[in-house]
Amino acid sequence: MGDINRAMAEQYRNDFLKEVEANVEEGQWVKMCMQCGVCSGSCPLGPAWEHPPQEIFMMIRAGRRDEVLKSESMWMCTSCYNCIVRCPRELPITHIMHGLANYAHRLGLAPKMNPTRRFAKKFWNNLAKSGRVNEIELSVGLYFMDGFKTGIARAWAMKDIGIGMLKAKRLNPFGFLTHKGCKDKKGIHKMLKKAREIEDRRKGFTA
Amino acid sequence: MADMKIGAYVCQGCGLGERLDTKALALVAQKEGKAHVVREHEFLCNGQGVAMIQKDIDEGVNRVVIAACSRRAKTEAFGFEGVAISRVNLREQVIWAQPATDEARELTQEMAADYVRMGCAEAKKIVAPTPNAEHGTDKRVLVVGGGISGMTAALEAARAGYDVLLVEKTGVLGGYMAKLHKRVPHQEPFADPQATDIEGLVASVSQDPHITVYLNSTTTRTSGAPGRFSVDITTESGQTATENVGAIVMASGFTPYDATKLPELGYGKSRNVVDQAGLEDLARAAAAQGEPMRRPSDGKEIKSVVFVQCAGQRDATGTHLKYCSGHCCNTSMKQAMYFKEQNPSIDTAIIYTDLRTPGNGEDFYRSAQRKGVIFTKGTVASVDEDGSGSATVRFHDLILDDKTATMQGVDLVVLATGLVPNSGVNIDIPPDAADVDPAKASEHAVSVLNLTYRQGPDLPQLKYGFTDSHFICFPYETRRTGIYATGPVRRPMDITQAVEDATGAALKAIQAVENASLGRAAHPRSGDLSFPTFRREGCTQCKRCTVECPFGAIDEDEQRYPQFNESRCRRCGTCMGACPVRVISFENYSVDSVGSQIKAIDVPDEFSEKPRILLLACENDAYPALDMAGVAGHTSSAFIRTVPVRCLGSVNMIWITDALNSGYDGVMLMGCRHGDEYQCHFVKGSELASYRMSKIDDTLKNLNLEKDRVRALEVAIADIGKVPALINDYAAKIKEIGMSPFKGF
């Protein structure tokens, strides 16, 4: 991954905007931002972002490659779509944020310990394994990802919700054993592999 | 007058008959108003009612009192020719302004009776105006300035069939627009710079049989009035032709702000720093040779361009222009596109603080973004060239709050320096005063029109050196009747706006010559035949009328008496309000016609608990607002007695002292907003009134009355809900301070 990062940085030199346009999902929209700040003002998690979307767009134009790609900011997006709804220029801001996060991840620049990134990876691996999410495995895995002690504490804190879900039959406590996944697991793996190939080719990751 | 015959007509329609005792009102008109003919009618504005009045007029009635609806309603039905008409507003401001209850009936009836008395009193003092004998009939239009505004005005007037004289200072037509490579798009899809097609416009002006073009010429003397201006047109070589014209359009345009005042932005230090005009020169020169634009210093290929917006504009420190020039954002985008057309890989960055793209500029903005023009919000601190021709732009990035942001290796820097109006001499500044405002730089202080008016050689200015043109309500209306300012000389604007603006100014000029040829007033009392006259033997030559006339209509004759130029007059009556000896009057509006209305009402004694409040309301804004408040069903105090005035500037202080002396408990004045954002139809009328009112305290002191006995208020036409509240507040205040001690004298 490090090599790809160096290759990309070299290819675009200072023109980070062009790099984003070429490689980031919906990146061609970044230049259309008119800096009104409605996205930043609309974000329910706005104060928690180090750089709200408006700033990220400006940083891309200003060529601040490392700062943007290593930022935790776009990982804060919860996909509420408030910004997309309100953007007067109709930028698909949520998608751009995910695109940036994904691009940073693929270049190996995304912050390693970012919880969103770690959860996303867990979710993906869980899902890709059998084609269907194993809920109990995912949530237990999530609670215990930082070790046994914190895992117990987290699970304890969530116990009421867990019991409620059990009672409502929304959580299968025997999922570790009984989870079956989809019928044609091999087919799914094949399909995902192909999709990955296509995307890599499109985004220039075919190194 | 012996042959005065008053006919008073009381309408019973629109609920007047149910809410009021019209029989009693008719009796008031007959007994107190001394009307010769008094009639009631159930529906006065219908054909039968109008015919009834017309029959009386045919039989000798020459003053008509119509006690019905507002003077603003049914103007056509009640537009009788050749007689003086007094309208008594019983509908909007009596029955609709009072609650329809039995308890309110007595006060409503008293109110109506007073208004009938006032109407009859007014009718005695006015006569139907006759056209002014002094009027010129020249219908030619003079256009000063041969740029896009001037040429458009000339063509529009010519197409309407009027002969036009077009005076241009330089040797070619086209003005600033002829210096442009391309123009900001004015047609769908507003995406790319368009050809100016200035040659086509110049050709159609030159070939138009109605237009005579004077090149290398200036207007060296302008005298007269609408319909009979006399103008000396002098060529560079000194030959002078004297021409008579009916109206003047001043389209003297602008000069780009002097970029040499911006050394911190590198102008003058580096040849690679140009202003917007400089870039147009580069673009045109390159296009003429069919080559790409190159760096001015060494002819190297241009790879990176930075545009600095608001260079020397919107400057809060007062060193440079304080205002936004309106066109520069679009212009810089257009110029950035010149480079994108040349080579899409040229980096173009526009550093702006607030992007303003008037008209369809938003589409153009998007188009620039699509083409890859980078927009950066920031303020530029410095531009330095390193000696090799590349510049470093240091700026404060306002989005990232980075005070040390830089752009390096910039081949060309373009400064958006904005425009300075060519307004001529600022007549409000004495000629020997130091030039303090950079917007009024001395190099532009050459008179454009050279008017022989006693008030000064050019049009008055409002703010930042732009010609005053009533920009809030009536664009083009300057304070010199028959002279219309258009284009960037009156406010910052771009080409598209200037074209529209010039079309409007041409139409205003046509209205002016047509009205002048009939001896009628121009805007805003368009078509008014009345004009001010003065009683020579009473005049003390104090000159207040000549000084205060907002329109420079009054000169002085050889014996230093005021000389009214009726065609220049807008009939506002400011001179009448100013006159300390009250010798100025109109045929249908005078100190006496209002004064006798004020004195006509019935003032109940001190112990009745029925105060009387006089409201002098501007007929342009406040009076319509009062009418509409009635229409909207807002009720207000029944103790108010309203007299509409042409402008608060026409209010003579004698009315106020007379009112207080005759037992009114308070006087309210409602006029328009004044100051830089004035809404006064007569520009200065409400301002003068407020100045005069600031001196009223002395009068009140002399009368031993409280300060609150007089209250002046600013009211806009849309203040429909506010007006009744203002009246009620004041009525409550009067109740609090008690009844006037001047009753019954």
Side-chain angles (χ1 to χ4, degrees), chain B residues 8-14 16 39-53 64-69 74 77-78 80 87:
Chain B
Y9 303 89
V10 184
C11 181
Q12 294 170 326
C14 295
L16 287 165
R39 295 189 206 285
E40 293 165 66
H41 194 278
E42 60 194 3
F43 191 175
L44 197 58
C45 60
N46 75 0
Q48 199 193 17
V50 171
M52 174 183 83
I53 301 173
V64 178
V65 179
I66 295 165
C69 43
K74 304 286 173 198
F78 297 137
F80 302 106
R87 296 285 297 268

Side-chain angles (χ1 to χ4, degrees), chain B residues 103 114 142 232 306 310 344 348 422 434 456 516 528 625 635 647 723:
Chain B
E103 302 86 74
D114 269 351
L142 171 76
D232 285 359
V306 169
C310 300
T348 50
N422 297 334
D528 188 0
T635 57
C647 173
V723 171

Side-chain angles (χ1 to χ4, degrees), chain A residues 31 33 54 61 64 89, chain B residues 362 365 369 375 399 402:
Chain A
K31 62 174 181 281
C33 167
Q54 176 200 12
R61 293 189 203 168
R64 298 191 181 185
R89 278 292 177 81
Chain B
E362 188 67 15
Y365 177 20
Q369 287 182 306
F375 290 84
I399 298 291
D402 180 0

Side-chain angles (χ1 to χ4, degrees), chain B residues 86-107:
Chain B
S86 173
R87 296 285 297 268
V88 177
N89 188 351
L90 298 183
R91 191 179 69 172
E92 283 86 345
Q93 293 190 26
V94 178
I95 61 162
W96 287 354
Q98 296 306 320
T101 57
D102 281 344
E103 302 86 74
R105 207 175 164 86
E106 183 195 334
L107 287 177

Side-chain angles (χ1 to χ4, degrees), chain A residues 16-194:
Chain A
F16 184 38
L17 175 65
K18 284 191 185 141
E19 180 181 346
V20 169
E21 286 186 354
N23 298 314
V24 171
E25 186 94 45
E26 307 281 11
Q28 73 279 10
W29 280 96
V30 171
K31 62 174 181 281
M32 298 307 291
C33 167
M34 63 173 190
Q35 294 296 324
C36 65
V38 165
C39 49
S40 308
S42 305
C43 182
L45 288 175
W49 292 52
E50 191 192 355
H51 303 295
Q54 176 200 12
E55 261 181 55
I56 288 182
F57 295 144
M58 199 69 229
M59 287 161 77
I60 293 170
R61 293 189 203 168
R64 298 191 181 185
R65 188 173 186 275
D66 275 16
E67 255 182 278
V68 171
L69 294 178
K70 289 178 179 171
S71 168
E72 304 240 10
S73 292
M74 54 270 191
W75 295 96
M76 301 299 295
C77 176
T78 58
S79 311
C80 74
Y81 288 83
N82 238 355
C83 49
I84 290 196
V85 169
R86 292 188 182 170
C87 177
R89 278 292 177 81
E90 299 174 341
L91 267 71
I93 300 168
T94 309
H95 302 167
I96 301 170
M97 290 302 121
H98 294 328
L100 280 170
N102 176 264
Y103 185 58
H105 169 70
R106 308 234 10 211
L107 290 179
L109 291 175
K112 291 278 173 299
M113 294 308 283
N114 181 284
T116 315
R117 177 174 168 275
R118 289 169 75 197
F119 171 70
K121 272 182 81 172
K122 271 197 185 304
F123 183 87
W124 176 255
N125 292 339
N126 189 305
L127 177 71
K129 201 162 73 186
S130 64
R132 189 176 286 168
V133 171
N134 183 345
E135 284 164 351
I136 190 86
E137 194 183 277
L138 180 65
S139 39
V140 168
L142 183 68
Y143 292 160
F144 288 87
M145 70 181 173
D146 290 323
F148 186 72
K149 231 175 131 183
T150 44
I152 295 290
R154 280 178 191 156
W156 185 252
M158 297 296 283
K159 68 175 191 314
D160 291 346
I161 292 174
I163 290 164
M165 285 174 77
L166 281 173
K167 279 183 183 162
K169 296 190 175 158
R170 304 303 300 171
L171 189 69
N172 182 1
F174 309 108
F176 284 112
L177 304 167
T178 59
H179 182 73
K180 286 202 175 64
C182 295
K183 274 178 198 161
D184 183 10
K185 287 188 191 118
K186 270 190 184 153
I188 285 173
H189 291 156
K190 228 172 129 186
M191 187 178 77
L192 289 173
K193 199 175 162 224
K194 185 76 188 164

Side-chain angles (χ1 to χ4, degrees), chain B residues 343-363:
Chain B
N343 179 357
S345 71
I346 296 176
D347 277 330
T348 50
I350 295 179
I351 306 180
Y352 66 94
T353 44
D354 300 286
L355 211 64
R356 292 292 178 269
T357 55
N360 288 288
E362 188 67 15
D363 290 340

